[in-house]
Amino acid sequence: MDHAQDDVLLQTFHIGKSYSGNVVLRDVNLSVKRGEIHALMGENGAGKSTLVKIITGVVKPNTGSVTYEGRPLNITHPSEIFDLGIGIVYQEFNLMPDLTVAQNILIGREPQSWFKGFLNERKTIQRAREVLEELECGIDPERKVEELSVAEQQMVEIAKSLSYNCRLLIMDEPTAALTENEIEILFRILRKLREKGVAIIYISHRMSDLDAIVDTVSVLRDGELISTRPYRPDQKDQMICEMVGRDLTQQFPPRPDYQAGPVTLEVSHLSGGNRLHDISFQARQGEILGIAGLMGAGRTELMRAIFGAYHKSDGTIQVDGHERVIRSPEDGIRAGIAYLTEDRKKDGLFLGLSIKENMISASYDQFSRRGFMNDRRAEKAIEAYGARLSIKMHDSRQAAGTLSGGNQQKVMVAKWLCSQAQIMIFDEPTRGIDVKSKYEIYELMYELVQKGLTIIMISSEMPELLGMSDRILVMNNGRITGELCREDATQEKILQYEMMEVQANGAGEKSEIR
């Protein structure tokens, strides 16, 4: 008897999928064992998401088959996966924010009251509490989901899967929006699930995740399965080479020779709501200004306030030495400011519209005259930026929502390049994209500062901040707690400033660091 085969929970055989002649998956054979964490790696567009959609019944393959627990897996509707013990936690959560945690966990399966047609709320809360206690996450099942942090919402998604007696859990970029402490809590839960025999398919672009939890790793490239092997930390370079199809000798491009010029943006004593307190700083032409801070420090609120998407109660903003009144994103665009949001799906793109419509959405005035669109000029710009950013698309009429995450990010970059903005705010520019796409974004950032643009970059990835920034401002609790030049910046110094508690003493003065 083949005991190794008995351990196999899920298998795909010769899976192939294409759309309009474009091959997305080609002859993919994958095996996932009980009680293992199996990482699925590959750059954006490699076919990872399509393979998962085939496993969960969202997409039908053109060729091949899937077996689960030794039997053919024929799913006619995605909702059937829960009854089979298959759970999936997407990067964008599938929760109802106005309902309670308990209602989300047991949605559609709430215990019934002895009154016909009525739900038993007490039993619903109790059952949800039992599942949450199993995860040791301490979330109150009676809280509304809209009140939870991103990490807590992720735990609710996992709890929902476990409530179906989940035997296979699929996770797509689970650590993308979590702090280091929240990531460690998640890893502890995943290890416990592994000990209970749950198989986990783990999709991530963070190499650091692999060291902590992964047993096996499979690499996809251009729709083909390149390798499957037990994970070893000393094979990371080989994995990257397999993902991109070539050696990537360094994480960041060589830093070109450029110098910071005059001040292009000056923020003075800016405050807003209860999140921003008396913030002043300058950004210069031809520099990359990094913004560091733990989650909740106020980094995104600050950048949104500068762009006009967050209410300012006090303070001034000068662009090229002239004070600008910026009360809306339209004002921000007119001032020559671009804001690449951290959530490209929610705030950055119109996913149902075409690539062309997205690219020119911030610059209609430049491509139209007297209300009529100059299609030839717009297509020329789209073709140029599409080629420069290596956007993988059939043509500009393709819906932005059909692109991979990395290509969506590039479309958002192209949108702001079309606007001819001189101050580019990048909020988590490489979150959820692959190694190759990251490198291309870094090359573009260097190209832009060489042309004299100002780049302000928020990043939660310490290597990215240290590798790309000319200066780094550190925030905590809505204030700037420190500034570091490129030569002096270290991970330890940034962390020290991130943890500082600063109190205001009068107009803009700060007390000693405690």
Side-chain angles (χ1 to χ4, degrees):
M1 188 175 185
D2 190 346
H3 293 288
Q5 189 63 29
D6 286 347
D7 287 339
V8 174
L9 179 69
L10 177 101
Q11 277 188 289
T12 71
F13 298 93
H14 308 293
I15 293 293
K17 182 65 182 177
S18 61
Y19 295 96
S20 303
N22 179 39
V23 177
V24 181
L25 291 173
R26 182 185 291 109
D27 197 34
V28 174
N29 297 286
L30 182 74
S31 288
V32 180
K33 296 179 180 178
R34 292 177 173 84
E36 82 166 349
I37 299 179
H38 193 128
L40 197 56
M41 305 292 290
E43 61 176 318
N44 291 102
K48 306 184 301 294
S49 296
T50 302
L51 181 59
V52 166
K53 287 176 181 177
I54 287 172
I55 291 171
T56 54
V58 176
V59 168
K60 298 297 180 186
N62 297 123
T63 60
S65 61
V66 182
T67 64
Y68 176 70
E69 296 184 322
R71 294 184 295 276
L73 186 63
N74 296 313
I75 298 174
T76 58
H77 191 277
S79 63
E80 295 174 11
I81 64 171
F82 300 112
D83 293 331
L84 293 167
I86 301 174
I88 181 164
V89 179
Y90 292 104
Q91 194 172 352
E92 290 81 31
F93 302 142
N94 187 26
L95 297 172
M96 284 163 271
D98 55 334
L99 298 184
T100 67
V101 169
Q103 289 167 337
N104 270 275
I105 290 174
L106 295 168
I107 188 74
R109 301 169 294 129
E110 300 92 336
Q112 301 294 305
S113 170
W114 60 279
F115 284 111
K116 188 175 181 180
F118 288 85
L119 304 180
N120 190 320
E121 188 67 20
R122 184 182 61 80
K123 286 187 177 180
T124 299
I125 294 169
Q126 180 58 34
R127 173 62 185 134
R129 181 172 281 114
E130 291 170 0
V131 179
L132 292 166
E133 287 175 353
E134 189 178 347
L135 290 173
E136 296 182 6
C137 58
I139 299 174
D140 182 355
E142 298 184 67
R143 286 180 68 189
K144 284 195 173 183
V145 163
E146 62 189 2
E147 300 171 359
L148 303 180
S149 68
V150 173
E152 289 172 326
Q153 289 182 37
Q154 191 169 69
M155 297 308 164
V156 174
E157 285 277 26
I158 296 173
K160 185 166 65 174
S161 294
L162 292 182
S163 71
Y164 284 94
N165 189 28
C166 174
R167 300 184 291 284
L168 172 65
L169 180 63
I170 303 170
M171 306 198 77
D172 187 2
E173 292 290 349
T175 60
L178 303 186
T179 65
E180 292 302 319
N181 184 55
E182 291 166 340
I183 288 170
E184 185 48 49
I185 293 171
L186 173 65
F187 286 169
R188 187 173 70 242
I189 289 168
L190 296 186
R191 293 186 196 107
K192 288 181 63 176
L193 295 177
R194 175 175 57 188
E195 290 171 5
K196 293 179 179 180
V198 175
I200 299 167
I201 296 177
Y202 190 92
I203 300 172
S204 178
H205 291 118
R206 285 172 51 110
M207 287 291 180
S208 57
D209 289 2
L210 307 188
D211 293 343
I213 55 169
V214 168
D215 304 304
T216 307
V217 61
S218 291
V219 175
L220 283 170
R221 186 179 75 238
D222 296 331
E224 295 187 26
L225 185 65
I226 304 301
S227 68
T228 295
R229 65 169 74 90
Y231 174 70
R232 280 175 34 195
D234 61 357
Q235 294 178 333
K236 284 181 181 176
D237 290 343
Q238 182 180 349
M239 285 171 48
I240 292 173
C241 181
E242 290 174 345
M243 284 191 285
V244 302
R246 60 181 173 86
D247 285 321
L248 198 62
T249 55
Q250 51 191 8
Q251 186 177 358
F252 302 100
R255 187 176 186 271
D257 184 20
Y258 63 88
Q259 297 294 326
V263 173
T264 54
L265 176 72
E266 183 164 5
V267 176
S268 302
H269 307 293
L270 189 147
S271 297
N274 60 352
R275 302 302 302 273
L276 303 175
H277 310 289
D278 195 26
I279 293 174
S280 299
F281 73 92
Q282 295 177 335
R284 296 181 175 274
Q285 181 185 71
E287 80 164 343
I288 299 175
L289 176 64
I291 308 291
L294 301 175
M295 191 170 290
R299 300 170 302 167
T300 292
E301 289 83 358
L302 173 59
M303 293 303 118
R304 287 173 64 87
I306 292 169
F307 183 63
Y310 186 85
H311 174 68
K312 296 178 287 293
S313 57
D314 199 8
T316 61
I317 296 172
Q318 290 189 20
V319 177
D320 292 330
H322 302 285
E323 184 173 338
R324 303 298 295 254
V325 178
I326 301 175
R327 297 193 181 96
S328 69
E330 187 177 10
D331 293 336
I333 293 170
R334 285 185 182 139
I337 302 172
Y339 177 53
L340 286 85
T341 173
E342 64 176 326
D343 191 336
R344 57 181 174 262
K345 292 182 183 290
K346 180 183 175 185
D347 302 318
L349 296 173
F350 303 101
L351 297 180
L353 298 184
S354 68
I355 294 168
K356 174 183 176 179
E357 289 168 310
N358 274 279
M359 280 195 186
I360 64 175
S361 61
S363 49
Y364 275 114
D365 291 347
Q366 295 186 34
F367 298 106
S368 63
R369 186 177 181 184
R370 296 176 182 174
F372 292 94
M373 178 63 60
N374 186 329
D375 282 318
R376 180 179 295 180
R377 188 178 176 192
E379 285 291 349
K380 189 175 180 180
I382 290 163
E383 184 178 340
Y385 287 125
R388 170 62 191 86
L389 296 170
S390 302
I391 300 173
K392 293 181 181 178
M393 58 180 175
H394 306 315
D395 59 52
S396 64
R397 294 170 296 179
Q398 183 180 350
T402 64
L403 298 176
S404 67
N407 284 300
Q408 288 180 9
Q409 186 80 340
K410 292 176 183 178
V411 169
M412 188 165 65
V413 172
K415 176 181 79 171
W416 291 112
L417 292 179
C418 282
S419 76
Q420 303 296 310
Q422 293 302 300
I423 299 169
M424 305 278 285
I425 300 171
F426 286 76
D427 195 343
E428 302 288 2
T430 63
R431 173 174 288 171
I433 65 175
D434 58 82
V435 175
K436 183 179 177 183
S437 295
K438 281 186 178 184
Y439 197 89
E440 291 170 347
I441 294 291
Y442 298 148
E443 286 183 317
L444 174 68
M445 291 170 72
Y446 276 147
E447 182 181 315
L448 295 177
V449 292
Q450 281 184 292
K451 290 180 178 178
L453 272 70
T454 301
I455 292 180
I456 303 175
M457 178 185 71
I458 297 175
S459 180
S460 297
E461 294 191 24
M462 198 71 74
E464 186 169 81
L465 279 170
L466 295 170
M468 292 298 297
S469 303
D470 299 308
R471 284 189 298 135
I472 299 175
L473 300 179
V474 188
M475 292 186 66
N476 181 28
N477 197 27
R479 302 180 189 277
I480 292 176
T481 54
E483 178 177 341
L484 295 164
C485 66
R486 182 182 182 88
E487 294 73 23
D488 293 338
T490 65
Q491 185 166 337
E492 290 75 21
K493 287 181 180 178
I494 291 173
L495 187 60
Q496 183 182 10
Y497 280 125
E498 286 179 338
M499 304 296 288
M500 284 181 178
E501 295 181 26
V502 179
Q503 295 178 329
N505 292 332
E509 297 179 358
K510 293 175 181 148
S511 67
E512 292 298 315
I513 308 300
R514 296 187 301 182

